[in-house]
């Protein structure tokens, strides 16, 4: 199986689905994280270029902790737009990397980059198997798309993954994003649910786990109401 997370910013995969990614990597699956942007707006007292370089390095270290490969696209932080050109770029990304399962943002989210990424990935998934649509890579059809979301949105999980054995790995990966741990601590009002990033992520995983009788879990909403052998309900 090839599991691919397509996320707007360098820390999104670790925060929202890091345990699931680590669990699949540990069983030998190919795991790839595709970053739409380098998160160059999310920081203090630096230039966009300097912050982008820092966040890319942090993302590489975090992905290595999870056992994932990384790919960086060249969208601009805070400025991802929905267009046919961008949709076709995502079509070609899916065709090039040929994932079995795609993880991405839920459609309802405060961050505009998250919302737009969700829409682009969903529509690219719909189009990437069309044989008459020509791009640089050959048509490909992933099995399913699973969405992750913030507890402050209308997101209500339907599929739960037991990450009890991988919560510590997830937290270790998040800590690699040193610039963001500090940024979110100071950025209160907008991302208030992550003021204390590690503690809040752990608490959310514990709450989700209790609903399924496990210590820690991550939750997803599938595009198609099916379950695969491993990314399925507990």
């Amino acid at each position: 199986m090839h599991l691919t997370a397509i996320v707007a910013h360098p820390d999104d995969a670790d925060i929202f689905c890091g345990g699931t990614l680590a669990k699949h990597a540990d069983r030998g699956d190919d795991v790839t994280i595709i970053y739409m942007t380098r998160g160059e707006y999310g920081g203090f007292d630096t230039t966009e270029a300097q912050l982008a370089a820092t966040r890319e390095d942090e993302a590489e270290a975090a992905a290595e902790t999870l056992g994932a490969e990384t790919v960086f696209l060249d969208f601009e932080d805070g400025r991802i737009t929905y267009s046919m050109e961008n949709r076709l770029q995502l079509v070609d990304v899916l065709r090039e990397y040929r994932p079995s399962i795609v993880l991405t943002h839920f459609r309802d989210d405060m961050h505009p980059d998250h919302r737009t990424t969700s829409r682009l990935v969903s529509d690219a998934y719909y189009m990437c198997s069309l044989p008459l649509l020509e791009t640089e890579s050959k048509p490909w059809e992933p099995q399913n798309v699973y969405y992750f979301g913030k507890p402050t949105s209308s997101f209500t999980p339907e599929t739960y993954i037991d990450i009890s054995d991988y919560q510590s790995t997830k937290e270790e990966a998040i800590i690699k994003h040193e610039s963001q741990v500090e940024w979110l601590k100071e950025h209160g009002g907008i991302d208030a649910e992550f003021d204390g990033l590690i503690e809040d992520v752990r608490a959310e995983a514990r709450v989700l786990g209790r609903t399924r009788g496990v210590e820690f879990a991550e939750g997803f909403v599938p595009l198609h109401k099916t379950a695969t052998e491993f990314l399925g309900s507990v």
Side-chain angles (χ1 to χ4, degrees):
M1 176 185 285
H2 183 186
L3 189 70
T4 294
I6 303 179
V7 297
H9 310 104
D11 55 342
D12 290 335
D14 310 280
I15 291 172
F16 294 110
C17 59
T20 298
L21 297 179
K23 184 172 184 175
H24 277 267
D26 188 47
R27 78 157 190 175
D29 291 336
D30 294 325
V31 176
T32 303
I33 304 173
I34 297 176
Y35 306 97
M36 298 284 283
T37 79
R38 288 169 172 79
E40 62 271 17
Y41 269 179
F44 305 102
D45 300 327
T46 185
T47 67
E48 288 186 36
Q50 289 171 334
L51 186 56
T54 296
R55 297 203 65 186
E56 182 172 340
D57 289 343
E58 291 172 347
E60 294 278 11
E64 183 177 357
T65 299
L66 299 177
E69 300 294 325
T70 60
V71 176
F72 292 89
L73 305 181
D74 292 318
F75 291 88
E76 296 180 307
D77 187 18
R79 292 153 285 182
I80 302 175
T81 58
Y82 187 87
S83 66
M84 180 58 71
E85 179 183 1
N86 290 345
R87 187 202 298 181
L88 291 177
Q89 182 175 345
L90 267 294
V91 166
D92 207 46
V93 166
L94 291 175
R95 288 177 169 186
E96 179 180 358
Y97 292 98
R98 303 172 75 81
S100 310
I101 297 293
V102 179
L103 309 180
T104 196
H105 300 275
F106 188 62
R107 63 184 177 272
D108 173 26
D109 193 290
M110 182 181 295
H111 201 304
D113 283 348
H114 293 187
R115 295 195 304 271
T116 307
T117 296
S118 180
R119 187 180 176 194
L120 286 170
V121 172
S122 299
D123 290 354
Y125 164 80
Y126 181 83
M127 295 183 70
C128 70
S129 65
L130 301 178
L132 296 183
L133 174 60
E134 295 185 2
T135 66
E136 293 184 7
S137 302
K138 295 181 179 179
W140 175 253
E141 185 174 5
Q143 296 173 16
N144 210 344
V145 179
Y146 286 82
Y147 302 97
F148 49 76
K150 292 186 177 183
T152 50
S153 77
S154 62
F155 174 76
T156 302
E158 299 174 12
T159 296
Y160 295 80
I161 304 302
D162 180 2
I163 62 163
S164 301
D165 293 336
Y166 300 93
Q167 179 66 26
S168 60
T169 304
K170 173 186 174 111
E171 293 180 14
E172 182 181 348
I174 294 172
I175 290 171
K176 299 294 184 183
H177 298 277
E178 294 181 23
S179 66
Q180 291 309 287
V181 173
E182 291 303 314
W183 165 248
L184 289 172
K185 188 181 298 182
E186 299 295 331
H187 200 222
I190 300 300
D191 291 300
E193 74 272 29
F194 293 135
D195 283 354
L197 183 55
I198 300 300
E199 295 81 3
D200 292 346
V201 166
R202 184 186 303 143
E204 175 67 12
R206 183 175 283 116
V207 168
L208 291 176
R210 284 174 179 166
T211 68
R212 290 299 180 270
V214 299
E215 186 175 9
F216 297 107
E218 290 175 338
F220 303 88
V221 173
L223 178 59
H224 301 300
K225 309 302 182 183
T226 61
T228 67
E229 177 184 358
F230 206 66
L231 187 65
S233 302
V234 298

